[in-house]
Amino acid sequence: MTTASIRKRRRGWGFHAVMAPLTLLWVAPMVFVLVLAFRSFDDIAARGTAAWPVSLSLDGFREALGRGTMGRALWTSVQVTVPAVLLSLLLASWAAYALSRFAIPGRRAILLTMLAGNLLPPQILLIPVSRVMESLGIYDTLVALVAIHVGFGLGFYTFVLHGFMRSIPGELTEAARMDGAGPVQIYGRIIMPLCRPSLAALGALATTWIFNDLIWAITVLRTEAKLPVTAALLNLQGGYVSNWNVVAAASVIAAVPTAIVFFAFQRHFVSGLLMGSNK
Amino acid sequence: MTAVAAPPRPEEVGMAPPRRRKSGLRAVPPIVWVFLLIPAVVEVGMVFWPAVNSFYLSLTEWNGLGAARPVGLDNFRDLFSDGIFLGALKNNVIWAVGFGGLSVLGGLALALALNRPRRGVGLYRSAIYLPMVFSLAVTGLFWRVQYQPDGTINTLLGAVGLESVERQWLADPHTALYAVLIAAVWRQVGYVMVLYLAGLKGTDPTLDDAAAVDGATAWQRFRFVTWPQLRGVNTVVFAVTVIDSLRTFDIVWAMTQGGPYHSSELLSTYMFQQGFTFLNLGYASAIAVVIFALALIFIITYLVRATKEEVA
């Protein structure tokens, strides 16, 4: 053992002695909610929310998914999230393709304006957007929710995809053009397949954003039966004030899908977050 | 000048020269206009047109029925004599400073600690940024559980003999705002950490090593070597954090709805109440315009940074 390696070993100890308790601050709240979700109502009533469980029960989940409507809300969220993600990435890829590969006059101003649209505080849009939905006759429908998610997310996705498409060498498309491919074929056969990594990253990001949304859902939807997960969770919270196992189970149900997306696409997810923000 | 052989020009191989702009981009075929116009129309219709409308509505009195009555700047005048609005404005400043300061300091410190690969780093990183994928509403509920009168926080305080500190965190006007703030920071720190980790990846480790060889302390190395290289990330983190602070709505709505007695009211929650509970649509629009005005300078900061990236 050289003194250097001893010092290194000791430094490693110090690192974990600091980091492990710190990390516990992030893990502990999640663990407590998870444990609470598996306890029975009587157990919580008798021994408080912070106690360790004496038995496991699925009552909380059963109640949350059934009468608590979380089951139905999950399905609603899927019906909103899938079309909204696909449609916004499709439209964004069109705009990015046009702006990155063709001499559109004022293209930089158009791009930045679109990005700015995504940075606006939603508050400036809530009331007029509800009106627009009413005049289109889609207020209080899931179509309205999909439409606003597409409109609001478009700018950011376009900006990110534009950056990626611009970096694709011109020779690739030039060769295809020589062979007589039109702009639509070049988009479909060359550009889009090459954009797969950034589409995956944006897809993971967009999925969590849209799935997690609350403010748009409670703005354009009125009927309780139509609420997606996040909004349904808050409603349930009002109805089960002292049933902490049901509330905990419902919040676990609302958290699990995005956690799955995160673990499945962890690398994509992080690179998506960094897009448009790092150099 | 050119050392590399140029590719044969099209006219040399018997083709018409393509029309070229000086940018090296191609002239625009009609179908490409369609590609651009459809998304542009969607964005204008869903975002820009409504935004412009908010400015108009902020100058009116309207309950959603019949026609909006123009009242000039009355709404704004009323706002600044409205105690709840002023309280929400103050809370928003506290929020921006507290939420921004804590999550940036925490995120930066964690990024520095977890920057170099070593055993366990991946695990720590994942655990800290996992909360980022939960919605703010879920985060709010997770923490409501901890803040219960018989919840983990009070139980812990009791266990170490601090019964006197125990309280109804979310029902006490003195602590509600800060209780929500802690929950929001818990979620945001991981996000800021990810941004800084990426920024640190872009720094040059040889500079750091050279400074260490020259006998610089850890603090000096951070202050004079690492920090200046993080300028770009700092701009983004700063802008994103402030914009996020002004947008904050979900977590407050989920935990306290702005209560008790408006003690955790933010501009966004007050706007939502005025607009969708009391149907004072003109007044609510005026609050929205104030939020926009406050966010504007940071939105511009972010865009300037984005433009730089476009050039780079």
Side-chain angles (χ1 to χ4, degrees):
Chain A
M1 269 298 214
T2 61
T3 48
S5 72
I6 290 173
R7 201 175 315 133
K8 217 173 183 153
R9 166 87 36 110
R10 204 174 297 141
R11 270 235 317 271
W13 255 106
F15 173 75
H16 290 291
V18 174
M19 281 313 300
L22 255 183
T23 308
L24 204 61
L25 283 179
W26 270 267
V27 177
M30 299 187 240
V31 171
F32 268 108
V33 173
L34 199 59
V35 166
L36 192 60
F38 284 103
R39 290 172 60 194
S40 70
F41 176 73
D42 298 337
D43 178 28
I44 297 169
R47 299 165 56 249
T49 47
W52 280 106
V54 281
S55 63
L56 287 183
S57 111
L58 289 172
D59 292 354
F61 286 94
R62 225 173 272 128
E63 186 67 22
L65 286 169
R67 274 204 310 150
T69 71
M70 289 300 284
R72 185 182 58 199
L74 270 179
W75 173 233
T76 306
S77 278
V78 172
Q79 286 173 288
V80 171
T81 307
V82 173
V85 170
L86 294 178
L87 198 58
S88 48
L89 288 184
L90 179 73
L91 290 182
S93 72
W94 288 359
Y97 175 62
L99 292 169
S100 64
R101 316 293 296 184
F102 297 90
I104 306 254
R107 59 186 181 277
R108 175 183 283 171
I110 297 173
L111 187 69
L112 284 179
T113 309
M114 287 182 85
L115 177 62
N118 179 257
L119 296 174
L120 290 176
Q123 284 73 26
I124 197 91
L125 305 175
L126 299 179
I127 293 168
V129 162
S130 326
R131 298 285 141 187
V132 170
M133 297 305 178
E134 275 174 17
S135 60
L136 293 173
I138 54 175
Y139 184 75
D140 197 24
T141 65
L142 298 186
V143 176
L145 197 51
V146 171
I148 185 60
H149 280 309
V150 170
F152 197 62
L154 210 50
F156 179 74
Y157 309 141
T158 302
F159 181 78
V160 172
L161 287 171
H162 172 274
F164 197 85
M165 288 183 189
R166 235 182 21 144
S167 66
I168 296 172
E171 291 79 19
L172 284 173
T173 48
E174 204 62 22
R177 243 176 16 85
M178 296 281 174
D179 296 340
V184 177
Q185 282 152 315
I186 289 177
Y187 161 85
R189 302 254 173 87
I190 298 175
I191 302 283
M192 282 306 262
L194 286 171
C195 281
R196 234 177 256 146
S198 56
L199 286 168
L202 281 178
L205 209 56
T207 303
T208 53
W209 279 344
I210 294 170
F211 189 91
N212 284 340
D213 158 72
L214 171 70
I215 197 162
W216 289 115
I218 59 181
T219 299
V220 303
L221 297 175
R222 277 286 157 267
T223 314
E224 261 185 48
K226 291 182 185 165
L227 293 179
V229 159
T230 312
L233 176 66
L234 291 198
N235 261 3
L236 173 139
Q237 175 189 229
Y240 288 90
V241 171
S242 56
N243 292 34
W244 282 106
N245 59 333
V246 181
V247 175
S251 46
V252 170
I253 292 165
V256 162
T258 46
I260 291 173
V261 168
F262 172 72
F263 283 121
F265 299 95
Q266 191 162 358
R267 199 167 316 124
H268 289 304
F269 193 91
V270 172
S271 67
L273 276 180
L274 300 175
M275 289 179 182
S277 74
N278 70 322
K279 247 283 156 323
Chain B
M1 216 13 235
T2 47
V4 193
R9 292 157 56 135
E11 50 267 48
E12 288 170 22
V13 285
M15 287 177 64
R19 280 181 301 149
R20 276 204 173 270
R21 307 284 165 108
K22 61 176 184 298
S23 63
L25 294 170
R26 304 200 11 80
V28 192
I31 181 74
V32 171
W33 282 112
V34 177
F35 268 30
L36 178 63
L37 278 175
I38 293 174
V41 166
V42 171
E43 178 138 24
V44 168
M46 284 289 159
V47 178
F48 291 109
W49 169 242
V52 170
N53 252 302
S54 266
F55 284 92
Y56 161 72
L57 282 179
S58 72
L59 304 174
T60 66
E61 189 183 349
W62 193 36
N63 62 2
L65 303 165
R69 198 169 60 86
V71 292
L73 292 172
D74 280 6
N75 286 325
F76 293 95
R77 224 168 279 132
D78 293 348
L79 274 183
F80 287 94
S81 56
D82 175 347
I84 300 172
F85 169 79
L86 294 173
L89 192 60
K90 191 182 113 208
N91 284 344
N92 240 128
V93 173
I94 294 173
W95 185 273
V97 174
F99 171 80
L102 289 173
S103 51
V104 169
L105 286 176
L108 177 60
L110 286 166
L112 289 168
L114 301 175
N115 182 26
R116 299 258 165 128
R118 59 202 295 182
R119 192 179 303 172
V121 159
L123 193 68
Y124 292 138
R125 282 186 195 176
S126 301
I128 291 165
Y129 64 53
L130 177 61
M132 197 175 62
V133 304
F134 302 149
S135 65
L136 280 156
V138 165
T139 307
L141 283 202
F142 273 28
W143 280 84
R144 274 200 64 178
V145 170
Q146 323 296 325
Y147 286 127
Q148 279 320 290
D150 65 348
T152 42
I153 293 179
N154 280 348
T155 307
L156 274 178
L157 288 171
V160 294
L162 289 170
E163 283 91 349
S164 56
V165 185
E166 288 184 37
R167 61 189 64 216
Q168 296 248 32
W169 300 99
L170 292 171
D172 183 334
H174 298 293
T175 56
L177 179 68
Y178 301 96
V180 178
L181 191 118
I182 295 290
V185 168
W186 177 78
R187 181 178 176 274
Q188 187 80 359
V189 161
Y191 176 47
V192 177
M193 179 182 79
V194 170
L195 293 179
Y196 274 122
L197 279 171
L200 288 168
K201 246 201 201 106
T203 60
D204 186 353
T206 54
L207 290 176
D208 194 56
D209 295 340
V213 170
D214 290 343
T217 63
W219 165 251
Q220 286 171 321
R221 294 208 308 269
F222 168 72
R223 174 68 191 79
F224 299 106
V225 180
T226 312
W227 183 248
Q229 296 183 76
L230 290 174
R231 238 196 349 237
V233 190
N234 281 330
T235 316
V236 171
V237 168
F238 185 65
V240 165
T241 308
V242 177
I243 294 170
D244 271 354
S245 311
L246 288 164
R247 286 178 171 196
T248 303
F249 169 85
D250 297 18
I251 195 161
V252 178
W253 201 250
M255 289 177 84
T256 62
Q257 299 228 332
Y261 313 111
H262 302 289
S263 63
S264 59
E265 200 78 77
L266 297 179
L267 294 173
S268 61
T269 54
Y270 190 47
M271 179 263 155
F272 197 85
Q273 259 172 353
Q274 285 291 347
F276 296 92
T277 312
F278 307 135
L279 292 180
N280 295 330
L281 300 180
Y283 197 59
S285 298
I287 303 173
V289 168
V290 171
I291 296 173
F292 169 79
L294 292 171
L296 187 64
I297 184 161
F298 300 99
I299 293 175
I300 292 169
T301 310
Y302 185 94
L303 288 177
V304 167
R305 172 82 201 142
T307 324
K308 276 210 187 102
E309 230 163 272
E310 280 298 291
V311 179

PDB file of all heavy atoms in Angstrom, chain A residues 8 10 27 35 42 56 70 76 96 107 119 127 130 144 150 204 212 223:
ATOM      1  N   LYS A   8      -6.096   8.023  -1.491  1.00  0.00           N
ATOM      2  CA  LYS A   8      -7.163   7.918  -2.480  1.00  0.00           C
ATOM      3  C   LYS A   8      -8.343   7.147  -1.896  1.00  0.00           C
ATOM      4  O   LYS A   8      -9.495   7.556  -2.017  1.00  0.00           O
ATOM      5  CB  LYS A   8      -6.640   7.181  -3.703  1.00  0.00           C
ATOM      6  CG  LYS A   8      -7.214   7.748  -4.980  1.00  0.00           C
ATOM      7  CD  LYS A   8      -6.573   7.121  -6.186  1.00  0.00           C
ATOM      8  CE  LYS A   8      -7.126   7.758  -7.448  1.00  0.00           C
ATOM      9  NZ  LYS A   8      -6.200   7.696  -8.547  1.00  0.00           N
ATOM     10  N   ARG A  10      -9.139   6.791   1.190  1.00  0.00           N
ATOM     11  CA  ARG A  10      -9.823   7.554   2.230  1.00  0.00           C
ATOM     12  C   ARG A  10     -10.704   8.639   1.597  1.00  0.00           C
ATOM     13  O   ARG A  10     -11.797   8.887   2.023  1.00  0.00           O
ATOM     14  CB  ARG A  10      -8.787   8.175   3.176  1.00  0.00           C
ATOM     15  CG  ARG A  10      -9.383   8.453   4.554  1.00  0.00           C
ATOM     16  CD  ARG A  10      -8.353   8.930   5.533  1.00  0.00           C
ATOM     17  NE  ARG A  10      -7.328   7.928   5.796  1.00  0.00           N
ATOM     18  CZ  ARG A  10      -6.029   8.240   5.940  1.00  0.00           C
ATOM     19  NH1 ARG A  10      -5.642   9.488   5.856  1.00  0.00           N
ATOM     20  NH2 ARG A  10      -5.162   7.299   6.180  1.00  0.00           N
ATOM     21  N   VAL A  27     -34.226  10.121  -2.439  1.00  0.00           N
ATOM     22  CA  VAL A  27     -34.863   8.811  -2.519  1.00  0.00           C
ATOM     23  C   VAL A  27     -35.950   8.640  -1.456  1.00  0.00           C
ATOM     24  O   VAL A  27     -37.020   8.095  -1.729  1.00  0.00           O
ATOM     25  CB  VAL A  27     -33.795   7.698  -2.385  1.00  0.00           C
ATOM     26  CG1 VAL A  27     -34.454   6.332  -2.387  1.00  0.00           C
ATOM     27  CG2 VAL A  27     -32.778   7.817  -3.508  1.00  0.00           C
ATOM     28  N   VAL A  35     -44.355   3.168   0.031  1.00  0.00           N
ATOM     29  CA  VAL A  35     -44.735   2.345   1.173  1.00  0.00           C
ATOM     30  C   VAL A  35     -46.159   2.660   1.605  1.00  0.00           C
ATOM     31  O   VAL A  35     -46.983   1.770   1.848  1.00  0.00           O
ATOM     32  CB  VAL A  35     -43.749   2.577   2.349  1.00  0.00           C
ATOM     33  CG1 VAL A  35     -44.312   1.998   3.644  1.00  0.00           C
ATOM     34  CG2 VAL A  35     -42.400   1.951   2.022  1.00  0.00           C
ATOM     35  N   ASP A  42     -56.831   1.327   7.740  1.00  0.00           N
ATOM     36  CA  ASP A  42     -56.890   1.160   9.200  1.00  0.00           C
ATOM     37  C   ASP A  42     -55.498   1.309   9.813  1.00  0.00           C
ATOM     38  O   ASP A  42     -55.326   1.927  10.861  1.00  0.00           O
ATOM     39  CB  ASP A  42     -57.452  -0.219   9.558  1.00  0.00           C
ATOM     40  CG  ASP A  42     -58.879  -0.360   9.049  1.00  0.00           C
ATOM     41  OD1 ASP A  42     -59.514   0.694   8.845  1.00  0.00           O
ATOM     42  OD2 ASP A  42     -59.332  -1.500   8.834  1.00  0.00           O
ATOM     43  N   LEU A  56     -49.036  -5.638   4.017  1.00  0.00           N
ATOM     44  CA  LEU A  56     -49.181  -5.024   2.703  1.00  0.00           C
ATOM     45  C   LEU A  56     -50.618  -5.184   2.233  1.00  0.00           C
ATOM     46  O   LEU A  56     -51.231  -6.230   2.431  1.00  0.00           O
ATOM     47  CB  LEU A  56     -48.255  -5.707   1.701  1.00  0.00           C
ATOM     48  CG  LEU A  56     -46.763  -5.380   1.867  1.00  0.00           C
ATOM     49  CD1 LEU A  56     -45.957  -6.069   0.773  1.00  0.00           C
ATOM     50  CD2 LEU A  56     -46.535  -3.876   1.819  1.00  0.00           C
ATOM     51  N   MET A  70     -58.565   6.635 -11.702  1.00  0.00           N
ATOM     52  CA  MET A  70     -57.219   6.764 -12.264  1.00  0.00           C
ATOM     53  C   MET A  70     -57.020   5.826 -13.457  1.00  0.00           C
ATOM     54  O   MET A  70     -56.249   6.123 -14.361  1.00  0.00           O
ATOM     55  CB  MET A  70     -56.155   6.481 -11.202  1.00  0.00           C
ATOM     56  CG  MET A  70     -56.043   7.554 -10.140  1.00  0.00           C
ATOM     57  SD  MET A  70     -55.625   9.180 -10.793  1.00  0.00           S
ATOM     58  CE  MET A  70     -53.888   8.981 -11.122  1.00  0.00           C
ATOM     59  N   THR A  76     -57.104   7.957 -20.933  1.00  0.00           N
ATOM     60  CA  THR A  76     -57.291   9.285 -21.535  1.00  0.00           C
ATOM     61  C   THR A  76     -55.940   9.917 -21.858  1.00  0.00           C
ATOM     62  O   THR A  76     -55.735  10.465 -22.941  1.00  0.00           O
ATOM     63  CB  THR A  76     -58.050  10.211 -20.568  1.00  0.00           C
ATOM     64  OG1 THR A  76     -59.255   9.568 -20.169  1.00  0.00           O
ATOM     65  CG2 THR A  76     -58.364  11.544 -21.218  1.00  0.00           C
ATOM     66  N   ALA A  96     -38.866  22.283 -39.913  1.00  0.00           N
ATOM     67  CA  ALA A  96     -37.409  22.268 -39.787  1.00  0.00           C
ATOM     68  C   ALA A  96     -36.757  21.940 -41.133  1.00  0.00           C
ATOM     69  O   ALA A  96     -35.740  22.533 -41.496  1.00  0.00           O
ATOM     70  CB  ALA A  96     -36.985  21.244 -38.735  1.00  0.00           C
ATOM     71  N   ARG A 107     -35.627  33.165 -42.902  1.00  0.00           N
ATOM     72  CA  ARG A 107     -35.830  31.897 -42.196  1.00  0.00           C
ATOM     73  C   ARG A 107     -35.368  31.953 -40.749  1.00  0.00           C
ATOM     74  O   ARG A 107     -35.962  31.331 -39.883  1.00  0.00           O
ATOM     75  CB  ARG A 107     -35.180  30.745 -42.947  1.00  0.00           C
ATOM     76  CG  ARG A 107     -33.707  30.894 -43.162  1.00  0.00           C
ATOM     77  CD  ARG A 107     -33.182  29.777 -44.056  1.00  0.00           C
ATOM     78  NE  ARG A 107     -31.746  29.950 -44.215  1.00  0.00           N
ATOM     79  CZ  ARG A 107     -31.213  30.784 -45.104  1.00  0.00           C
ATOM     80  NH1 ARG A 107     -31.986  31.509 -45.883  1.00  0.00           N
ATOM     81  NH2 ARG A 107     -29.901  30.909 -45.192  1.00  0.00           N
ATOM     82  N   LEU A 119     -41.634  29.656 -25.473  1.00  0.00           N
ATOM     83  CA  LEU A 119     -41.148  30.224 -24.215  1.00  0.00           C
ATOM     84  C   LEU A 119     -42.176  31.116 -23.534  1.00  0.00           C
ATOM     85  O   LEU A 119     -42.016  31.492 -22.383  1.00  0.00           O
ATOM     86  CB  LEU A 119     -39.873  31.045 -24.463  1.00  0.00           C
ATOM     87  CG  LEU A 119     -38.658  30.271 -24.970  1.00  0.00           C
ATOM     88  CD1 LEU A 119     -37.534  31.231 -25.305  1.00  0.00           C
ATOM     89  CD2 LEU A 119     -38.181  29.266 -23.936  1.00  0.00           C
ATOM     90  N   ILE A 127     -56.855  32.144 -21.570  1.00  0.00           N
ATOM     91  CA  ILE A 127     -58.222  32.614 -21.822  1.00  0.00           C
ATOM     92  C   ILE A 127     -58.527  32.657 -23.320  1.00  0.00           C
ATOM     93  O   ILE A 127     -59.528  32.069 -23.760  1.00  0.00           O
ATOM     94  CB  ILE A 127     -58.466  33.967 -21.128  1.00  0.00           C
ATOM     95  CG1 ILE A 127     -58.425  33.764 -19.605  1.00  0.00           C
ATOM     96  CG2 ILE A 127     -59.797  34.576 -21.552  1.00  0.00           C
ATOM     97  CD1 ILE A 127     -58.367  35.039 -18.804  1.00  0.00           C
ATOM     98  N   SER A 130     -59.008  29.122 -24.755  1.00  0.00           N
ATOM     99  CA  SER A 130     -60.329  28.540 -24.475  1.00  0.00           C
ATOM    100  C   SER A 130     -61.363  29.072 -25.453  1.00  0.00           C
ATOM    101  O   SER A 130     -62.238  28.341 -25.908  1.00  0.00           O
ATOM    102  CB  SER A 130     -60.827  28.875 -23.068  1.00  0.00           C
ATOM    103  OG  SER A 130     -59.800  28.935 -22.169  1.00  0.00           O
ATOM    104  N   ALA A 144     -59.159  19.205 -28.480  1.00  0.00           N
ATOM    105  CA  ALA A 144     -58.676  20.522 -28.091  1.00  0.00           C
ATOM    106  C   ALA A 144     -57.347  20.411 -27.353  1.00  0.00           C
ATOM    107  O   ALA A 144     -56.412  21.183 -27.580  1.00  0.00           O
ATOM    108  CB  ALA A 144     -59.704  21.222 -27.206  1.00  0.00           C
ATOM    109  N   VAL A 150     -49.872  20.423 -29.478  1.00  0.00           N
ATOM    110  CA  VAL A 150     -49.137  20.495 -30.736  1.00  0.00           C
ATOM    111  C   VAL A 150     -48.688  21.933 -30.986  1.00  0.00           C
ATOM    112  O   VAL A 150     -47.513  22.201 -31.243  1.00  0.00           O
ATOM    113  CB  VAL A 150     -50.001  19.982 -31.915  1.00  0.00           C
ATOM    114  CG1 VAL A 150     -49.319  20.278 -33.243  1.00  0.00           C
ATOM    115  CG2 VAL A 150     -50.247  18.486 -31.767  1.00  0.00           C
ATOM    116  N   ALA A 204     -39.130  11.306 -26.318  1.00  0.00           N
ATOM    117  CA  ALA A 204     -39.123  10.996 -24.881  1.00  0.00           C
ATOM    118  C   ALA A 204     -39.471  12.236 -24.071  1.00  0.00           C
ATOM    119  O   ALA A 204     -40.267  12.190 -23.121  1.00  0.00           O
ATOM    120  CB  ALA A 204     -37.752  10.464 -24.470  1.00  0.00           C
ATOM    121  N   ASN A 212     -47.467  14.864 -18.339  1.00  0.00           N
ATOM    122  CA  ASN A 212     -47.431  15.525 -17.034  1.00  0.00           C
ATOM    123  C   ASN A 212     -48.222  16.818 -16.964  1.00  0.00           C
ATOM    124  O   ASN A 212     -48.340  17.412 -15.902  1.00  0.00           O
ATOM    125  CB  ASN A 212     -45.978  15.843 -16.654  1.00  0.00           C
ATOM    126  CG  ASN A 212     -45.234  14.612 -16.203  1.00  0.00           C
ATOM    127  OD1 ASN A 212     -45.846  13.627 -15.820  1.00  0.00           O
ATOM    128  ND2 ASN A 212     -43.910  14.654 -16.247  1.00  0.00           N
ATOM    129  N   THR A 223     -65.427  18.503 -18.365  1.00  0.00           N
ATOM    130  CA  THR A 223     -66.075  17.291 -17.882  1.00  0.00           C
ATOM    131  C   THR A 223     -65.093  16.429 -17.111  1.00  0.00           C
ATOM    132  O   THR A 223     -64.030  16.100 -17.633  1.00  0.00           O
ATOM    133  CB  THR A 223     -66.619  16.476 -19.078  1.00  0.00           C
ATOM    134  OG1 THR A 223     -67.302  17.380 -19.942  1.00  0.00           O
ATOM    135  CG2 THR A 223     -67.552  15.386 -18.616  1.00  0.00           C
TER     136      THR A 223
END
